[in-house]
Amino acid sequence: MPPGPTLGLVVGTEHGDFRSTENFANGFLTRGPSGLSPMIFPNTVMNSMAAVAAIAIGAKAPSVTVNQATVAGDVAVARAAALIRDGRAQA
């Protein structure tokens, strides 16, 4: 499937981007409010993994990150199948 408006992406994760969240929190813990980096914050948002990957591969249909302990991959596959079934993505 070529990149474009019919290619979607679903990522499953159990933990999200803990590294960015840890860096963001440590900034606050060590320097207070002035230590909160606006450059790191966007990476603490759970969907940042799917968004960055979608940009990299040119996927313009929905990009989704699902979080569910122990079954994240299964949930991601089911969500991707639902996107295709509902006509929101072709692949």
Side-chain angles (χ1 to χ4, degrees):
M1 171 63 66
T6 61
L7 179 62
L9 180 70
V10 181
V11 173
T13 178
E14 290 191 21
H15 304 293
D17 186 359
F18 276 150
R19 184 175 302 138
S20 294
T21 301
E22 179 184 23
N23 290 339
F24 189 73
N26 282 336
F28 176 76
L29 294 173
T30 58
R31 296 184 307 277
S34 65
L36 295 172
S37 171
M39 299 303 290
I40 295 175
F41 177 74
N43 295 328
T44 67
V45 177
M46 184 61 69
N47 197 44
S48 65
M49 290 179 282
V52 169
I55 290 167
I57 66 170
K60 297 189 175 160
S63 67
V64 180
T65 301
V66 295
N67 176 277
Q68 181 65 47
T70 71
V71 294
D74 296 336
V75 173
V77 170
R79 183 67 185 265
L83 288 174
I84 293 168
R85 180 197 65 222
D86 296 342
R88 298 187 65 207
Q90 286 186 0

